[in-house]
């Protein structure tokens, strides 16, 4: 057996008691935070204490064993597979909830199930009344009273159509504002995740796992997944020749190879959806440049197109303007930047570039709202 100093056994026992007490404290912390939003159960990491070198009276028959236990910090018990499944389902729930919310607004306006009482079936009742008045007029062709009743019934029907039309316009404007608010919310989440990445990175450099900051970040990632279907990955960022630190990367799921990036470590993007935007060339990049030039003539049949890559020379169209029937609802991602606004360098040394979010780039509540507002049940960038 190994030669242990006079108090070696007492030290081993003392370290074991300390480790057990720390484990109990961590267990109590897990129980105390059982209802804390985003909290991830933690586990105490234990390592065996080993004394380097040989003892003074060491011989070849002695076995060198550990001299106790040390608490090496805490780690989180989190299942990456469950995270992926949960966030994928969140995207589906967000998409369906946004669609349901929009359809409920339409059903509240156009609810025609009923007999014309209690605000149900109003148009149907008025149509039936007009048909009835026309039938009466057909039997009394020269009756001024019947003629007046037909006109009155028709005017009431037209008033109803106008009223419903105004209500639909209001609902569309409300959904447009909701979409813009959701874009602002996503941008806020992306900024917060990027800033948390900075803090977690700095903590990691100094040997701190920053578990509470990671919990906060996971809550934000879960929230982001309801707006956009995302792919979350972790890799190691090289700090210097001898050390690395974990890096979080978030991209749009299914966006190709390389994917469209939302977050890369300390760099993050923002979604841009201005009220006015350059008119895109729907055949780009297969044919022509990215935008349609102001020199184009779209009034003739077929239209005469002139293309340009300079957005300043392109035709401007409504994109997210209240009350407009020409809204395109195009979105784009700005270049990835850090807290100080410095643009990220790609692997080939070039600056990160803005990216248009095409017809099928998104899935989640943002895409569902765009599809509702195009009145076609789908979103298409073509005219």
């Amino acid at each position: 057996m190994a030669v242990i100093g006079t108090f070696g056994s007492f030290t081993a026992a003392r370290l074991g008691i300390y480790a057990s007490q720390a484990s109990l404290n961590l267990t109590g912390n897990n129980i105390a935070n059982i209802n804390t939003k985003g909290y991830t159960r933690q586990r105490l990491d234990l390592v065996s204490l080993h004394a380097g070198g040989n003892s003074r009276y060491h011989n070849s028959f002695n076995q060198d064993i550990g001299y106790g236990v040390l608490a090496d910090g805490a780690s989180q018990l989190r299942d990456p597979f469950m995270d992926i499944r949960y966030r994928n389902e969140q995207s589906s729930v967000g998409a369906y909830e946004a669609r349901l919310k929009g359809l409920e607004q339409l059903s509240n306006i156009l609810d025609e199930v009923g007999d014309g009482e209690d605000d149900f079936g109003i148009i149907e009742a008025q149509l039936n009344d007009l048909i009835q008045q026309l039938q009466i007029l057909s039997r009394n062709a020269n009756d001024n009273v019947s003629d007046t009743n037909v006109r009155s019934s028709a005017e009431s029907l037209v008033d109803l159509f106008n009223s419903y039309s105004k209500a639909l316009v209001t609902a569309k404007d409300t959904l447009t504002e909701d979409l813009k608010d959701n874009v602002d919310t996503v941008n806020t989440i992306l900024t917060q995740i990027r800033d948390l990445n900075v803090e977690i990175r700095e903590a990691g450099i100094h040997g701190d796992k920053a578990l509470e900051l990671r919990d906060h970040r996971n809550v934000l990632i879960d929230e982001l997944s309801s707006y956009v279907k995302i792919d979350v990955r972790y890799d190691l960022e090289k700090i210097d020749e001898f050390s690395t630190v974990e890096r979080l990367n978030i991209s749009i799921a299914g966006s190709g190879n390389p994917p469209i990036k939302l977050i890369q470590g300390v760099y993050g993007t923002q979604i841009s959806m201005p009220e006015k935007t350059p008119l895109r060339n729907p055949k780009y990049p297969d044919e022509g440049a990215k935008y349609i030039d102001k020199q184009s003539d779209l009034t003739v049949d077929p239209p005469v197109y002139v293309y340009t890559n300079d957005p300043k020379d392109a035709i401007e169209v409504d994109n997210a303007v209240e009350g407009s029937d020409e809204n395109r609802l195009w979105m784009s991602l700005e270049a990835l930047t850090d807290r100080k606004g410095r643009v990220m360098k790609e692997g080939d040394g070039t600056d990160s570039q803005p990216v248009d979010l095409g017809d099928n780039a998104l899935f989640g509540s943002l895409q569902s709202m765009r599809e509702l507002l195009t009145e076609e049940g789908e979103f298409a960038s073509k005219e």
Side-chain angles (χ1 to χ4, degrees):
M1 59 179 293
V3 178
I4 301 178
T6 305
F7 293 99
S9 298
F10 294 102
T11 301
R14 178 172 58 87
L15 291 176
I17 292 173
Y18 287 165
S20 298
Q21 182 62 54
S23 297
L24 288 174
N25 292 340
L26 192 55
T27 300
N29 187 53
N30 287 335
I31 295 172
N33 285 281
I34 192 169
N35 293 319
T36 301
K37 181 179 180 181
Y39 180 79
T40 302
R41 186 161 62 95
Q42 298 178 6
R43 174 189 61 196
L44 188 67
D45 298 326
L46 301 176
V47 294
S48 175
L49 174 62
H50 175 75
N54 295 325
S55 61
R56 182 174 183 177
Y57 300 104
H58 175 80
N59 63 60
S60 59
F61 297 100
N62 287 334
Q63 298 295 322
D64 191 14
I65 60 174
Y67 294 88
V69 64
L70 291 177
D72 192 37
S75 59
Q76 293 179 326
L77 296 173
R78 196 172 182 96
D79 189 341
F81 174 75
M82 292 301 296
D83 280 342
I84 294 172
R85 287 295 305 274
Y86 176 78
R87 288 162 184 165
N88 286 342
E89 294 302 320
Q90 273 283 91
S91 299
S92 299
V93 170
Y96 294 132
E97 283 185 344
R99 191 171 297 141
L100 177 62
K101 180 181 178 181
L103 293 175
E104 283 178 343
Q105 291 190 43
L106 296 178
S107 68
N108 290 335
I109 298 170
L110 300 174
D111 195 340
E112 285 297 305
V113 180
D115 56 2
E117 297 180 359
D118 299 326
D119 294 333
F120 293 107
I122 302 298
I123 290 181
E124 182 182 3
Q126 191 58 46
L127 278 170
N128 290 335
D129 179 73
L130 178 58
I131 293 172
Q132 182 179 2
Q133 297 301 328
L134 287 170
Q135 291 174 344
I136 294 173
L137 179 61
S138 67
R139 295 193 297 267
N140 304 280
N142 297 320
D143 185 10
N144 291 333
V145 174
S146 298
D147 183 71
T148 301
N149 290 339
V150 169
R151 290 177 181 274
S152 177
S153 181
E155 288 177 357
S156 298
L157 181 61
V158 170
D159 289 341
L160 284 174
F161 282 140
N162 288 333
S163 176
Y164 284 174
S165 175
K166 292 177 181 178
L168 289 173
V169 170
T170 301
K172 184 176 181 180
D173 289 342
T174 301
L175 282 174
T176 303
E177 290 303 313
D178 286 346
L179 176 59
K180 293 163 71 173
D181 290 342
N182 286 348
V183 169
D184 291 340
T185 300
V186 169
N187 287 337
T188 300
I189 293 173
L190 291 173
T191 299
Q192 292 175 335
I193 293 175
R194 181 197 65 188
D195 293 345
L196 281 170
N197 281 350
V198 174
E199 297 179 35
I200 293 171
R201 179 179 182 272
E202 292 175 353
I205 292 174
H206 294 93
D208 185 0
K209 295 181 180 179
L211 300 184
E212 285 71 24
L213 293 178
R214 291 173 181 271
D215 285 341
H216 186 197
R217 185 175 68 181
N218 283 324
V219 171
L220 292 172
I221 294 173
D222 292 344
E223 185 179 355
L224 176 64
S225 66
S226 68
Y227 294 98
V228 183
K229 190 172 185 179
I230 55 176
D231 183 21
V232 181
R233 297 182 182 272
Y234 299 88
D235 61 10
L236 294 177
E237 178 188 357
K238 190 172 183 180
I239 301 300
D240 53 36
E241 187 178 354
F242 307 101
S243 58
T244 58
V245 67
E246 184 185 77
R247 179 174 63 181
L248 168 74
N249 305 294
I250 302 177
S251 59
I252 297 178
S255 56
N257 187 21
I260 299 176
K261 301 172 185 176
L262 298 175
I263 296 287
Q264 183 165 332
V266 298
Y267 296 94
T269 186
Q270 298 277 277
I271 296 178
S272 175
M273 192 179 68
E275 291 188 345
K276 294 286 187 178
T277 187
L279 182 59
R280 269 72 164 177
N281 171 18
K283 297 182 180 180
Y284 175 83
D286 298 328
E287 180 180 329
K290 192 172 184 179
Y291 305 109
I292 296 179
D293 195 281
K294 295 176 183 177
Q295 300 178 15
S296 303
D297 188 355
L298 308 183
T299 61
V300 298
D301 189 18
V304 177
Y305 291 107
V306 179
Y307 303 113
T308 179
N309 280 316
D310 189 348
K312 296 179 181 178
D313 295 332
I315 297 174
E316 279 201 339
V317 292
D318 291 346
N319 194 53
V321 183
E322 184 177 351
S324 174
D325 291 328
E326 302 298 328
N327 283 338
R328 262 67 174 183
L329 303 176
W330 287 330
M331 298 180 185
S332 60
L333 293 178
E334 298 175 2
L336 292 162
T337 58
D338 63 8
R339 271 179 166 179
K340 297 182 179 180
R342 293 173 295 198
V343 178
M344 186 190 78
K345 296 290 184 181
E346 299 287 358
D348 58 1
T350 60
D351 287 345
S352 171
Q353 297 296 318
V355 178
D356 279 338
L357 295 177
D359 303 352
N360 303 311
L362 296 178
F363 178 76
S365 63
L366 292 185
Q367 182 69 4
S368 289
M369 295 184 77
R370 288 208 294 180
E371 291 173 355
L372 276 169
L373 288 167
T374 55
E375 304 173 12
E376 298 290 341
E378 61 180 356
F379 177 74
S381 59
K382 295 184 179 181
E383 293 185 34

